[in-house]
């Protein structure tokens, strides 16, 4: 493939590409803080870009954990369950326990592994010896898919190829539902 673009145009194109393919909310800000040559190093060395994405993923896990602590009794989860929270519900005295695994984006967990994540998360809930209330497992997605923020209906049950739910006790909450549910504020405000 021949390139007829000037070096300046290639730099702009590369920066645009990095901003669009990564986290649509935080990545443009983080990338604006570094020099263009550092962006090339970050993109050229695959493990550096992976480490950058992992850092942003961990940021979102802690952000959601801290936002939830403002409202509910929240515990740090085990390996698969990043957050365990006891949520009081109106009209139901016992409340509900959420077992949540927070992911940076919907493509963090792909096709074949989604069923495994859901099973491991649900096994964590089922193996809880002191569980005194109903539970719900949640795969929380912190950033919008393809940069498009959906509304409060950004909540679903994940299905396998045969159209069967991986679990009726596990939901996927996108940022359009996740942030309003835990804070009362729209995702864009967070």
């Amino acid at each position: 493939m021949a390139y007829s673009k000037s070096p300046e145009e290639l730099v702009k194109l590369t920066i645009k590409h990095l901003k669009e393919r990564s986290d649509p909310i935080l990545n443009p800000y983080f990338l604006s803080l570094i020099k263009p040559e550092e962006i090339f190093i970050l993109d050229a060395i695959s493990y550096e870009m992976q480490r950058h994405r992992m850092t942003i993923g961990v940021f979102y896990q802690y952000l959601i954990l801290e936002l939830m602590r403002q409202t509910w009794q929240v515990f740090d989860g085990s390996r698969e369950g990043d957050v365990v929270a006891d949520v009081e519900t109106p009209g139901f005295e016992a409340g509900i326990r959420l077992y949540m695994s927070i992911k940076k984006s919907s493509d963090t967990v792909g096709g074949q592994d989604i069923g495994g994540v859901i099973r491991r998360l649900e096994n964590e809930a089922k193996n809880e010896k002191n569980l005194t209330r109903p539970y719900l497992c949640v795969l929380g997605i912190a950033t919008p898919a393809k940069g498009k923020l959906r509304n409060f209906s950004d909540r679903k049950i994940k299905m396998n190829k045969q159209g069967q739910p991986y679990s009726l006790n596990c939901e996927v909450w996108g940022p359009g539902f996740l942030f309003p549910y835990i804070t009362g504020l729209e995702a864009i405000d967070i």
Side-chain angles (χ1 to χ4, degrees):
M1 176 190 286
Y3 293 101
S4 62
K5 302 205 181 280
S6 70
E8 292 81 12
E9 289 173 313
L10 287 173
V11 168
K12 288 178 185 176
L13 189 63
T14 301
I15 292 172
K16 180 180 181 284
H17 169 74
L18 286 170
K19 287 179 179 181
E20 289 176 354
R21 80 169 194 194
S22 301
D23 182 283
I25 297 170
L26 289 180
N27 225 38
Y29 174 71
F30 286 148
L31 291 175
S32 73
L33 299 176
I34 61 178
K35 298 174 187 171
E37 58 269 18
E38 293 171 328
I39 294 174
F40 284 110
I41 292 168
L42 192 66
D43 195 39
I45 304 171
S46 60
Y47 65 83
E48 287 295 332
M49 184 55 86
Q50 178 62 21
R51 186 168 33 187
H52 175 67
R53 283 193 294 268
M54 298 270 302
T55 300
I56 292 175
V58 170
F59 168 82
Y60 276 116
Q61 290 172 352
Y62 282 108
L63 172 66
I64 290 169
L65 181 65
E66 290 304 317
L67 289 171
M68 291 178 75
R69 282 189 173 137
Q70 303 302 311
T71 309
W72 302 311
Q73 183 177 3
V74 178
F75 318 98
D76 288 333
S78 66
R79 191 189 109 211
E80 194 62 50
D82 300 317
V83 179
V84 177
D86 287 337
V87 178
E88 302 307 318
T89 54
F92 185 63
E93 190 176 319
I96 190 166
R97 178 161 289 173
L98 296 178
Y99 290 86
M100 298 180 71
S101 182
I102 307 299
K103 304 299 180 193
K104 179 184 92 57
S105 61
S106 58
D107 62 353
T108 302
V109 178
Q112 295 175 336
D113 194 39
I114 190 83
V117 170
I118 290 171
R119 280 189 297 280
R120 288 187 298 270
L121 194 56
E122 190 160 22
N123 282 339
E124 181 182 337
K126 287 178 179 178
N127 291 328
E128 175 71 44
K129 291 180 175 44
N130 299 321
L131 187 60
T132 59
R133 54 180 68 203
Y135 71 88
L136 177 66
C137 298
V138 174
L139 202 58
I141 309 298
T143 61
K146 299 180 182 173
K148 293 183 182 178
L149 192 58
R150 292 181 178 80
N151 60 16
F152 197 69
S153 65
D154 197 5
R155 173 184 180 195
K156 62 186 169 200
I157 292 179
K158 198 71 172 166
M159 307 288 189
N160 63 20
K161 290 179 183 177
Q162 293 78 29
Q164 301 296 317
Y166 285 105
S167 168
L168 291 174
N169 290 330
C170 189
E171 296 182 357
V172 177
W173 293 358
F177 181 83
L178 179 65
F179 288 108
Y181 182 78
I182 63 176
T183 67
L185 300 170
E186 295 296 322
I188 198 73
D189 295 331
I190 299 299

